Each structure stands twice: as structure tokens, then as C-alpha cells.
């Protein structure tokens, strides 16, 4: 979301995944305070298996230590300031996280991700709980595990190159567009439409409670793309947001960090190939 004004707590952060240590070690991004070497990795893994923790190895603790350094240096010292301003610098923070590998933990290596197992997601999620607010880890979770999973699984190579690669790198901010003024948890009731006109979709509607919405560069948008039954007529579409007259953000602050975005009538067209698939 746009700002970090949500209750803090490790429990919220534990919901999110992020998997990445082995590939990060191989790329020399971290290893308990220094660049990784193949021998270091083998020795750490062997030593860890003899440890007391039922899940974590030294690699897991190295991941947490690397993330904690970012949290202590680039996030926690500024939380109070961001609270006062009502917004945190998502592009700046995500670029730092992306360079360290934390935005592509469970994503394919060919698109810049780490492609690691789920146990590393637990380590990362636990460490995110040390951020002294809830909004920043929530925004990180949207970037890694809400806006991008469908793109990763169903998107074409072209879409992944256009949207997934820069999202993993931290060059762009992503958001998920599902909730609307009249449809929150009742997803089947959304009213936003995507009407096909030749090779394009014309999108009309409005989204609300959009985490990272006012800073996002693109949205994984859920829209009604046909006239069929409400549980069978929807599509996910990669919707660029940084475009002329793209959306209306009327500045209505609904809850801390949550803003309403309106997609106006006859909003510019979006390519049909941006569709990730029908639900």
C-alpha cells in the first residue's frame, strides 16, 4: 500500500512467501557476512544439518541476517517519518530489496528469480515481522505473492519479460486490483469490465483498497471479460498504470495506506495479449 500505517506484527508477515537462499549464495549475494563460495555453501549445509533447528539451516539464517540488515538500515529508522507523511518510498525500498534478491525468491531463475523451496519463504516472512509497521511488509507481500503468481504461472514469455522481470528487479511497483466499492471478499460481484475491441480490451470500472495502488506501475487486474456466469466470466489482465490519463486517484483516504483508484469511462485500450487467462 502507499504508506506503512497498519498494525505491526510478525503474524501478518508470516503469511507471505519468498524463497531464495541457494541461488543467492551461488550469485555471491550473501553468506553470513561475506561473498559466497562453493566450499562455504557445502560446509554451511553440512554444519546446519547437525544443528538443533528442525527446519532452518545456516543458509536460512544467512537469508534472515541479510534481510535484517536491510530492515535495520533502510526501513525501520524511517518508519516514523513515513507514518507522518502517509506514504513510504516504495520504488526506493523495492529497488534495494530487488537488488538483494528478495522480490524473486520463488520465481524462475530465467526471469531473475531465485527458484528456491518453500522453507526459505518461512525464514523471509518471519524476518519481515521485524519491520516496525504493517504496511511495508504488506506491500512487499503484494509485490512477491499477490500481483505476480498468476503472471509467473500463466503469463506468456513476452508478458513475463515486460512485467515480471522488472518487478523482481525492483524497478517497478506492482499491485493487485480485485476489491471494489461494492465487492470486497465477494469477488464474484465485481463490476469492472474488459470489453474486447479487435485486438484490445477497453476497461471500465473502479477498484478500492488497493495496496500500493497510488505508487504502482502496473496492476494485476481482475475484470469481467464476458457475459457468462459470475464465477466463470473473469480474466486477469496486466494493466499498465503509468500512462497518460490512465486512472483517477481521487485522494480519498479510506484506511491508512489505502486509496481509491477509478478507471474512468472509455479508459485507454489494453492489448488482448496482456490477458493472463480466463477464470
Amino acid at each position: 500500500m502507499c504508506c506503512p500505517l497498519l498494525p505491526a506484527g510478525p503474524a501478518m508477515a508470516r503469511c507471505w512467501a519468498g524463497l531464495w537462499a541457494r541461488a543467492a549464495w551461488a550469485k555471491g549475494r550473501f553468506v553470513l557476512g561475506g561473498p559466497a563460495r562453493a566450499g562455504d555453501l557445502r560446509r554451511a549445509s553440512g554444519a546446519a544439518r547437525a544443528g538443533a533447528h528442525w527446519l532452518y539451516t545456516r543458509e536460512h539464517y544467512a537469508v534472515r541476517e541479510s534481510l535484517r540488515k536491510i530492515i535495520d538500515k533502510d526501513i525501520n529508522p524511517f518508519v516514523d517519518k513515513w507514518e507522518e507523511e502517509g506514504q513510504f518510498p516504495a520504488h526506493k525500498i523495492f529497488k534495494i530489496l530487488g537488488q538483494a534478491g528478495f522480490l524473486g525468491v520463488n520465481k524462475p531463475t530465467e526471469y531473475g528469480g531465485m527458484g528456491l523451496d518453500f522453507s526459505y519463504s518461512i525464514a523471509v516472512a518471519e524476518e519481515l515481522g521485524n519491520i516496525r509497521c504493517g504496511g511495508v511488509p504488506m506491500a512487499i507481500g503484494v509485490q512477491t505473492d499477490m500481483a505476480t503468481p498468476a503472471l509467473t504461472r500463466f503469463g506468456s514469455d513476452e508478458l513475463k519479460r515486460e512485467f515480471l522481470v522488472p518487478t523482481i528487479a525492483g524497478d517497478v511497483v506492482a499491485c493487485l486490483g480485485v476489491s471494489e466499492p461494492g465487492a470486497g471478499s465477494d469477488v464474484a460481484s465485481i463490476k469492472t469490465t474488459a470489453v474486447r475491441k479487435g485486438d484490445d480490451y477497453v476497461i471500465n470500472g473502479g477498484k478500492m483498497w488497493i495496496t500500493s495502488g497510488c505508487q504502482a506501475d502496473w496492476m494485476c487486474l481482475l475484470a469481467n471479460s464476458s457475459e457468462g456466469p459470475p464465477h466463470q466470466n473473469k480474466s486477469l489482465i496486466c494493466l499498465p498504470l503509468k500512462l497518460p490519463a490512465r486512472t483517477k486517484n481521487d485522494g480519498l483516504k479510506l484506511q491508512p495506506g489505502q486509496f481509491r483508484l477509478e478507471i474512468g469511462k472509455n479508459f485507454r485500450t489494453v492489448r488482448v495479449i496482456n490477458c493472463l487467462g480466463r477464470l
Side-chain angles (χ1 to χ4, degrees), residues 43-66:
R43 285 192 295 272
S45 299
R49 281 193 289 269
H53 198 283
W54 69 275
L55 178 63
Y56 289 172
T57 66
R58 284 186 61 189
E59 295 169 347
H60 292 84
Y61 288 112
V63 172
R64 294 192 61 166
E65 181 180 338
S66 295

Side-chain angles (χ1 to χ4, degrees), residues 87-208:
Q87 181 169 289
F88 82 98
H91 286 86
K92 176 182 177 181
I93 298 303
F94 284 5
K95 186 59 182 177
I96 294 170
L97 292 168
Q99 289 177 331
F102 285 105
L103 299 182
V105 183
N106 61 338
K107 301 302 186 292
T109 56
E110 57 265 37
Y111 299 105
M114 296 298 174
L116 300 177
D117 70 73
F118 189 74
S119 66
Y120 290 95
S121 113
I122 300 173
V124 169
E126 281 194 327
E127 200 60 46
L128 288 175
N130 288 303
I131 296 176
R132 295 202 305 264
C133 63
V136 174
M138 172 68 80
I140 296 169
V142 168
Q143 184 93 349
T144 60
D145 293 285
M146 295 181 73
T148 50
L151 172 60
T152 302
R153 182 173 180 183
F154 301 110
S156 65
D157 180 71
E158 179 181 353
L159 282 183
K160 291 175 184 177
R161 299 290 175 190
E162 182 177 355
F163 293 99
L164 184 61
V165 169
T167 302
I168 290 173
D171 294 329
V172 300
V173 174
C175 66
L176 179 69
V178 175
S179 297
E180 299 181 358
S185 57
D186 183 14
V187 176
S189 297
I190 66 167
K191 303 301 181 185
T192 297
T193 59
V195 178
R196 183 163 182 168
K197 301 291 185 182
D199 292 330
D200 298 313
Y201 281 118
V202 177
I203 299 176
N204 292 283
K207 297 296 179 179
M208 190 173 282

